[in-house]
Amino acid sequence: IIMIYTIFTLLGISCNILKRICIRHLNGSSVTCRCRITWKRNYSFYRDDVKSVRAVLNPDISKIRNIGIMAHIDAGKTTTTERMLYYSGYTRALGDVDDGDTVTDYMTQERERGITIQSAAVTFDWKDHRINLIDTPGHVDFTLEVERALRVLDGAVAVFDASAGVQAQTMTVWRQAEKHQIPCVCFLNKMDKPAASLNYSIDSIRTKLKANPVLIQIPIGSGKGFTGLVDLITRRKMVWLGNSLTDDGRHFEITALQASEDPEMLQAVSEARGALIEQVADLDDEFAELLLGDYGENFDAVPAGKLQEAIRRVTLARKGVPVLCGSSLKNKGVQPLLDAITAYLPAPNERHHDVVRWYKDDLSALAFKVVHDKQRGPLVFVRIYSGCMKAQSAVHNINRNGTERMSRLLLPFADQHIEIPSLSAGNIGLTVGLKQTVTGDTIVSSKASAAAALRRAQDETKSDKSSHRESSSLVLAGVEVPEPVFFCSIEPPSMAKQADLEHALNCLQREDPSLKVRTDPDSGQTILCGMGELHIEIIHDRIKREYNIETHLGPLQVAYRETILQSASATDMLDRTLGDKRHVVNVELTVHPWTESGTSCDITFEEEVKAQLPADVREAVENGVHSAYLQGPLMGFPVQGVQTVIQHASLESGTSAAMVSACVCRCMLKALRQAGGQVLEPVMDLEVTLGEEHLSPVLGDLAQRRGTVRDIQSRQEDKVLLATVPLAEMMGYSTVMRTLTSGNATFSLELSSYESMNTHDQNILLNKMAGLA
């Protein structure tokens, strides 16, 4: 009976159904009663005391924590988030990625694939602190989701697979956190795995991330014997009792270490705490003075509070990162992680943003994400830096230079949002009614407050023009969007659905700035540009499910680039009469290979030409040059690494700017053809984790894909293959990898650079694009 009840409980079938089954088959109310008592004693998957998001704390700004969960794919970010929500009392049951019932992975595509695609925000409280948490994706195709989340966060939790240490995407998200100067806490997850290694993970953090890990916990037991941990600061051990299948991890024992404990454990704790104290003393001068002055003879007598304060200072100064351990899936170690978030990561007022100083008590907020809701329309995620945001109020968008009325203000809890009247500084919220606002826009209370803030910024930096430009750009904060590397055509099932498809693509572009949609000038087809195969596949699936449009995708193609091999000059003249106006333009220019910046192009004017041409004509010339850069002479791909010098430009009066741009563009194409074209292909950094027995076939396959092996490393019992491979050769690689390794390997791709193709491969590509091969 207990087994039946357990199975039904795990499957989520209600108690009433089981009660009827017990009564029907066992014919006895007393048996049913015993089942219920047994379930309450052994199982606590479903709790009755669930908090409402409406009752979430609204404390002082010093008690707010805006954090993100970031990691490599499948390191346990979403599982850790689920445990945080459960232990803080905001969910009834423990969500599981494999079961598809997690709070933050609410999209159908996320639950089917078991991965995070969109970053999801949740708000909850923990021990008098309000935590605004964003669960970010781990897949490289959705790097922008991590970027725009970290842009508005104050701290981050980096989750590691303790058996793998630092993986490829971990390094990417760590670099993003460093770019925004975000203090981090490290959580070594999956300590219950047989291959989990604390020392290996610490070493990989130190060597690969160039960080300074500050170990504040050590595990009790290893692998399946992992039962708890020892807090080195307080010298107390935390032990989770019971089987993880029958215990939800809410109850654990905290006891001080006794002299009767295992001598090996006591020795390990003593050594680890001594190393911790010495490390913190090296990183924090104030703690070093305290240590030498008061506790020079006995480091063990250092109070836990003083050590914790020193670790917090080290973390906020980004001199070190506290390292904790646990197993989210087995419900161990998440509560101490929540304590560490409130203890070591900064409050919003501890992060120094110039925009707060300039706006003072006026509203300033950054829109960092947009999602479309079928009932409410576009929902805009905002981070409030100063002032207070209120529902039913008008706000001014600096980037769009327009005023919009915000109808409602919501508190985010994944896809379940709670309406609130106002939101104070330091928080993250959702707005309804902002129809023009997009990712990266700065929102203020009024145009006058923006002008006042800009005056304050100029007063601070009026002596230095360069810093003045920097301050102005900080007022208009934004998010860097990476260039897409894959593209394909997309077609509606009929012309009647073309308008619906355009609407769907416009909504999806607003949600996801890394998705680009353009129209091919030759064929008139709609081209979908994305960050990878999975990215485009998800977009296609969303169009089908959310907008009910059965679209057809063309074959995936690689976004190549073009450049030139040598310098070349060209002249062109345009003489055309339209109506009663005659347009005459003469242009002479030279193009050169530009090595200073390989990913962009430059345009300059000869001094005499610059002095002769009016500003509007110079702008028309620049527009013509930039138009030519968009489509190279070889294959029509964008041009990079080219510098253009305008040597002569003249026009007769009455000539329109459009004619000037057209003549310059035509002249540019002549010069680019004469300079000799070169195709640049995207080259990816590939990291493959596999067993040694599968290494040979994978290396042989890479050789056929024009791959270059950079290194082969050892990670516990596995091998890690590092290589660079052209993106064009990686189509369908996941299927091939599963076949070669019997599904026992994982890999990740990241754009490395654009490199020149050799003549043979370039000719094959040109013939293929021309339909000759």
Side-chain angles (χ1 to χ4, degrees), residues 359-371:
Y359 280 96
K360 295 187 176 180
D361 294 331
D362 290 335
L363 171 67
S364 65
L366 180 68
F368 66 93
K369 182 180 170 67
V370 180
V371 296

Side-chain angles (χ1 to χ4, degrees), residues 148-219:
R148 60 183 178 180
L150 291 177
R151 171 68 184 82
V152 297
L153 295 175
D154 302 317
V157 177
V159 181
F160 300 81
D161 183 338
S163 64
V166 175
Q167 297 170 278
Q169 188 65 7
T170 313
M171 299 173 69
T172 302
V173 297
W174 193 269
R175 284 196 299 268
Q176 291 174 306
E178 283 192 329
K179 181 172 72 173
H180 296 295
Q181 298 183 345
I182 294 177
C184 295
V185 167
C186 296
F187 180 60
L188 303 182
N189 192 24
K190 304 188 179 183
M191 290 298 298
D192 59 303
K193 292 179 71 172
S197 172
L198 178 70
N199 293 331
Y200 174 79
S201 300
I202 294 291
D203 290 340
S204 66
I205 292 173
R206 184 179 293 110
T207 55
K208 292 185 178 180
L209 300 181
K210 309 301 180 189
N212 203 345
V214 179
L215 185 65
I216 61 176
Q217 293 176 351
I218 60 172

Side-chain angles (χ1 to χ4, degrees), residues 280 286-287 290 295 302-311 313:
V280 174
E286 183 179 338
F287 183 70
L290 174 71
Y295 307 100
V302 176
K306 296 294 184 182
L307 181 55
Q308 193 174 63
E309 290 173 5
I311 294 174
R313 289 193 297 269

Side-chain angles (χ1 to χ4, degrees), residues 502-635:
E502 290 177 0
H503 170 71
L505 291 175
N506 287 335
C507 292
L508 290 171
Q509 280 187 95
R510 192 175 173 199
E511 285 189 25
D512 183 3
S514 65
L515 173 69
K516 302 290 176 64
V517 179
R518 60 180 176 86
T519 302
D520 187 277
D522 297 325
S523 64
Q525 286 181 305
T526 303
I527 306 297
L528 206 61
C529 307
M531 301 303 298
E533 287 183 86
L534 179 63
H535 187 200
I536 290 181
E537 180 187 337
I538 294 295
I539 294 297
H540 183 224
D541 193 45
R542 290 188 64 189
I543 292 173
K544 177 182 177 181
R545 297 194 189 206
E546 297 176 22
Y547 298 93
N548 298 319
I549 305 173
E550 292 280 352
T551 56
H552 172 71
L553 288 184
L556 280 177
Q557 301 182 56
V558 178
Y560 294 96
R561 297 286 186 269
E562 297 182 28
T563 190
I564 58 175
L565 298 173
Q566 57 193 12
S567 300
S569 299
T571 59
D572 200 354
M573 176 183 177
L574 184 146
D575 188 347
R576 183 169 297 176
T577 301
L578 295 177
D580 57 348
K581 285 189 177 182
R582 186 184 180 202
H583 304 269
V584 180
V585 187
N586 284 285
V587 177
E588 180 182 348
L589 53 83
T590 303
V591 293
H592 305 283
W594 196 39
T595 56
E596 291 183 17
S597 177
T599 59
S600 60
C601 294
D602 185 44
I603 175 173
T604 58
F605 292 84
E606 295 281 359
E607 290 298 328
E608 296 180 0
V609 178
K610 191 173 183 179
Q612 292 173 358
L613 294 179
D616 57 337
V617 177
R618 284 203 306 272
E619 184 179 355
V621 171
E622 291 176 355
N623 288 339
V625 173
H626 289 304
S627 297
Y629 285 155
L630 294 176
Q631 284 193 307
L634 282 176
M635 298 164 57

Side-chain angles (χ1 to χ4, degrees), residues 3-190:
M3 288 176 62
I4 293 172
Y5 208 105
T6 305
I7 292 170
F8 273 73
T9 305
L10 290 172
L11 292 176
I13 300 176
S14 68
C15 304
N16 292 329
I17 295 175
L18 185 56
K19 182 177 180 179
R20 290 198 297 270
I21 292 173
C22 289
I23 292 173
R24 182 183 304 167
H25 291 281
L26 300 177
N27 194 20
S29 59
S30 60
V31 179
T32 308
C33 181
R34 286 199 300 272
C35 289
R36 188 184 299 115
I37 294 171
T38 304
W39 176 71
K40 282 195 172 183
R41 187 174 67 244
N42 290 336
Y43 303 102
S44 47
F45 288 97
Y46 295 98
R47 54 196 297 172
D48 299 325
D49 55 337
V50 178
K51 297 180 183 177
S52 169
V53 184
R54 295 182 183 277
V56 72
L57 291 172
N58 191 18
D60 183 72
I61 192 171
S62 62
K63 297 283 188 179
I64 297 174
R65 299 291 183 270
N66 295 311
I67 64 164
I69 307 288
M70 61 181 194
H72 185 84
I73 189 170
D74 201 31
K77 300 179 297 299
T78 302
T79 304
T80 303
T81 304
E82 287 298 315
R83 271 52 182 174
M84 289 181 177
L85 293 176
Y86 183 74
Y87 297 137
S88 59
Y90 285 87
T91 54
R92 188 175 299 278
L94 289 167
D96 196 325
V97 173
D98 295 330
D99 294 339
D101 59 355
T102 56
V103 173
T104 52
D105 283 356
Y106 56 85
M107 289 176 61
T108 306
Q109 294 84 355
E110 293 177 319
R111 294 188 167 182
E112 287 179 349
R113 291 169 171 82
I115 61 172
T116 302
I117 295 170
Q118 280 193 347
S119 55
V122 288
T123 301
F124 61 95
D125 58 70
W126 178 260
K127 295 184 178 178
D128 300 328
H129 287 74
R130 178 179 184 146
I131 298 179
N132 300 311
L133 182 146
I134 297 182
D135 179 24
T136 64
H139 199 284
V140 68
D141 284 16
F142 309 107
T143 303
L144 179 66
E145 284 288 318
V146 185
E147 173 75 21
R148 60 183 178 180
L150 291 177
R151 171 68 184 82
V152 297
L153 295 175
D154 302 317
V157 177
V159 181
F160 300 81
D161 183 338
S163 64
V166 175
Q167 297 170 278
Q169 188 65 7
T170 313
M171 299 173 69
T172 302
V173 297
W174 193 269
R175 284 196 299 268
Q176 291 174 306
E178 283 192 329
K179 181 172 72 173
H180 296 295
Q181 298 183 345
I182 294 177
C184 295
V185 167
C186 296
F187 180 60
L188 303 182
N189 192 24
K190 304 188 179 183

